[in-house]
Amino acid sequence: MFIDIACSQKRKYNQNAYGDFFASNRFPNMNRVVAVLSDGLGSGIKANILACMTSTMLLKFMENNSDIEKSCEVIMNSLPVCKVRGISYSTFSAIDCYDDGKAKIVEEGNPDFIWIRNNEVLKPEYQTIQSKDFKNRKMKVYNITLEKGDRIIFCSDGATQVAMGSKQYPLGLERSGLIKIILNKLNNESDISSKDLSDYLVKQIQYIAPNKELKDDTSILSLYCRDPRESLIFTGPPFHNEKDNYWANTFINFKGKKAISGGTTANIISRELNIPVKSHMSLSMGKLPGLSKMEGVDIVCEGILTLTKTLEYLESGKCENNAAKVLMDFMLDSDVIQFLVGAQMNKAHYDPNLPIEIEIRKNVIKKIALVLEEKYLKKVNVQFI
Amino acid sequence: MEKISVKVCTGTTCFVMGGANLQELHDLIPRKYGDKVEVSGSPCLGLCSINWEYSKAPYVKVNEAVVNEATVEKVLAEIDKQIGNN
């Protein structure tokens, strides 16, 4: 099971900074995801600092399995005190969950999370923990087991209190109103991704606000338990030529999406499986060789130049419209990415007379794997062949 | 008369050695020769790795003839030569 997680936010009207803060971390080797959504007191920069401190500290505490009660006391004691109100305050929702479905949720001050299974809202039991140092602060702790298809939605109170005082929503949208919007959307689009759902919900909330002006920062954190989207990228000729056929078959029989990055690699697979590969010059885009086509393969592109550019795009987040962008989108649309990296080198690539320096494939792939894991929270597996 | 096939290598070595400039053949050849010549790309013609110490990339194949250190002019000359032979 894969936990698809995404957060969408909108700022309070006329504010430059978000007063809610979202932080998360994925531990692919432990099949674990930790995420925190915090809402800071007030709005703007002050709220942003409070929420950011709360989220990042709590995330660290949870990652290290610290006692949640003690952790929260430490956080509350370390937040700066607001000059206007004389208190320090931020609310939060936090989840620590594993791919087998076991999840621990802790909430303080935010609206109760929404747990949806088969289009029905579940009502989980919880334990209440009273803060020792702060009278009005109570935490709710849930230990639940998620199943495939389940969704969890967290929100800041900006979402449930939107349009409060209006004729249509005297008490705001409320949790019940938000649930209606979610269930309605899921009825029409049952397998919507977390990102699309959270984007949709914050947009709907903004539509509800009078003049589309939000009176408070609004955040939706969405989790969706589903099968992982797997993909395989084959790059470089295998070291032992006699194994070409084996690896070509391993590649084509892979169930998820498939990409080939490398001209020689594409030719080897084409030869071993007797599937023609067609390169259309007209598909060349920008400063990189264009894409080719092979039946049963989603992307066929050039190797090391495209991979080097893809790495640059993944690191910077900026890209141009070319084969490297296509390859980057392919990676980002997957949850689990596997690389088959052929170890045979084309010596012509390392001719010092080439006008540009060409990186060693192994190194580029290692760097891509690292950025996919650390920045994009993907599960990555690299196999050298 | 059989169609002449032009294959432009879009592999790494050829691309960086000037193959990127050969993309204009895709527009130029149909305009100049109409249906007589068919131009396409190839993921890699595999020629740079054979004699890698003395690679003469970029490579283009005009039917079975290999054009070394190909330029648009050299490719067009080879096509003209083969059309003349036919």
Side-chain angles (χ1 to χ4, degrees):
Chain A
M1 194 163 75
F2 180 84
I3 316 276
D4 172 19
I5 182 165
C7 181
S8 302
Q9 302 185 304
K10 287 216 182 276
R11 288 177 299 232
K12 178 178 171 178
Y13 175 68
N14 260 348
Q15 286 289 352
N16 293 320
Y18 291 86
D20 298 343
F21 199 91
F22 161 71
S24 81
N25 209 349
R26 191 181 289 276
F27 302 87
N29 299 335
M30 295 162 69
N31 300 319
R32 179 188 186 196
V33 181
V34 184
V36 183
L37 174 66
S38 174
D39 177 357
L41 175 81
S43 54
I45 298 292
K46 180 170 63 188
N48 184 280
I49 291 169
L50 289 168
C52 174
M53 283 181 72
T54 306
S55 294
T56 44
M57 280 195 276
L58 191 53
L59 192 73
K60 281 283 167 226
F61 280 125
M62 290 190 80
E63 281 173 13
N64 296 319
N65 299 314
S66 309
D67 178 71
I68 190 73
E69 194 183 344
K70 274 187 198 156
S71 310
C72 290
E73 298 285 323
V74 171
I75 294 168
M76 286 187 274
N77 279 313
S78 45
L79 292 178
V81 177
C82 169
K83 269 189 186 171
V84 185
R85 301 171 179 87
I87 50 171
S88 63
Y89 192 69
S90 64
T91 66
F92 64 82
S93 308
I95 181 163
D96 180 5
C97 58
Y98 291 82
D99 288 1
D100 65 0
K102 286 210 175 86
K104 181 177 182 177
I105 293 174
V106 185
E107 288 178 335
E108 211 283 331
N110 275 352
D112 291 350
F113 73 94
I114 300 164
W115 183 8
I116 297 169
R117 176 175 296 166
N118 299 326
N119 250 12
E120 279 183 26
V121 178
L122 304 184
K123 287 180 187 159
E125 287 183 1
Y126 58 87
Q127 195 193 339
T128 308
I129 299 176
Q130 169 69 48
S131 159
K132 282 179 204 148
D133 298 346
F134 298 85
K135 262 189 188 172
N136 298 322
R137 306 208 64 172
K138 278 183 197 145
M139 280 188 296
K140 287 181 180 174
V141 180
Y142 303 77
N143 282 296
I144 61 173
T145 306
L146 299 167
E147 290 179 7
K148 203 192 283 175
D150 282 8
R151 286 177 192 272
I152 300 271
I153 313 286
F154 296 97
C155 64
S156 59
D157 61 1
T160 48
Q161 292 176 358
V162 65
M164 190 183 270
S166 67
K167 261 191 184 172
Q168 199 183 350
Y169 301 100
L171 298 171
L173 177 65
E174 297 188 274
R175 188 171 175 270
S176 55
L178 182 60
I179 289 173
K180 266 187 206 164
I181 299 175
I182 298 169
L183 292 181
N184 206 8
K185 186 68 181 168
L186 293 179
N187 253 330
N188 296 325
E189 223 176 311
S190 60
D191 56 355
I192 186 171
S193 72
S194 282
K195 179 74 189 141
D196 288 349
L197 182 64
S198 59
D199 276 351
Y200 171 80
L201 291 175
V202 290
K203 262 185 209 156
Q204 292 304 306
I205 290 162
Q206 191 174 22
Y207 284 136
I208 291 168
N211 303 321
K212 294 188 190 167
E213 291 170 4
L214 291 167
K215 294 270 166 58
D216 193 1
D217 299 294
T218 300
S219 304
I220 298 283
L221 168 58
S222 164
L223 280 86
Y224 179 26
C225 307
R226 57 168 170 75
D227 285 324
R229 295 167 300 176
E230 295 190 50
S231 63
L232 176 62
I233 299 169
F234 197 149
T235 178
F239 189 74
H240 297 287
N241 299 351
E242 61 273 21
K243 285 201 167 169
D244 283 354
N245 188 269
Y246 169 78
W247 290 116
N249 276 297
T250 306
F251 175 74
I252 208 72
N253 291 328
F254 182 78
K255 279 186 185 143
K257 290 188 299 172
K258 296 181 262 288
I260 300 171
S261 177
T264 312
T265 318
N267 286 341
I268 288 173
I269 293 171
S270 164
R271 181 192 71 212
E272 294 300 324
L273 303 174
N274 202 15
I275 308 172
V277 51
K278 283 183 186 164
S279 178
H280 296 278
M281 288 184 71
S282 55
L283 292 177
S284 289
M285 298 175 282
K287 289 176 189 154
L288 288 177
L291 299 167
S292 305
K293 283 191 173 173
M294 191 190 284
E295 206 181 306
V297 182
D298 300 272
I299 295 174
V300 183
C301 62
E302 182 274 341
I304 199 71
L305 302 173
T306 310
L307 288 167
T308 306
K309 210 59 177 170
T310 303
L311 171 63
E312 188 187 312
Y313 292 166
L314 285 167
E315 282 174 340
S316 70
K318 290 175 194 159
C319 59
E320 293 158 289
N321 197 15
N322 55 25
K325 180 185 186 294
V326 175
L327 193 60
M328 177 177 79
D329 290 343
F330 175 90
M331 293 175 188
L332 296 185
D333 274 340
S334 315
D335 306 311
V336 180
I337 303 152
Q338 194 170 338
F339 288 93
L340 281 179
V341 186
Q344 209 175 105
M345 292 204 291
N346 182 347
K347 288 183 176 166
H349 289 181
Y350 304 102
D351 180 345
N353 293 324
L354 287 197
I356 61 162
E357 197 180 330
I358 292 182
E359 272 271 17
I360 293 173
R361 188 186 310 270
K362 256 188 184 177
N363 297 347
V364 178
I365 296 294
K366 275 186 194 165
K367 287 181 195 166
I368 290 181
L370 197 69
V371 67
L372 284 172
E373 277 176 354
E374 291 188 348
K375 186 171 172 189
Y376 297 95
L377 308 177
K378 305 288 182 191
K379 233 184 210 180
V380 184
N381 175 18
V382 182
Q383 189 179 359
F384 295 103
I385 56 172
Chain B
M1 190 173 102
E2 251 182 58
K3 259 190 191 179
I4 289 177
S5 151
V6 175
K7 284 200 169 151
V8 182
C9 184
T10 60
T12 311
T13 317
C14 288
F15 196 81
V16 298
M17 290 306 285
N21 302 329
L22 299 173
Q23 287 182 33
E24 65 178 280
L25 286 172
H26 182 78
D27 295 326
L28 200 62
I29 288 178
R31 255 193 287 139
K32 191 161 178 207
Y33 302 101
D35 303 343
K36 282 191 245 167
V37 182
E38 192 177 59
V39 60
S40 66
S42 163
C44 178
L45 292 172
L47 296 167
C48 65
S49 57
I50 296 172
N51 196 5
W52 59 270
E53 280 171 282
Y54 306 101
S55 168
K56 292 195 161 103
Y59 292 100
V60 174
K61 266 184 160 183
V62 180
N63 281 339
E64 288 311 306
V66 175
V67 182
N68 292 333
E69 293 171 336
T71 58
V72 171
E73 293 73 26
K74 279 173 94 172
V75 173
L76 295 181
E78 178 61 31
I79 295 171
D80 288 338
K81 189 176 132 198
Q82 293 199 19
I83 286 179
N85 287 347
N86 285 324

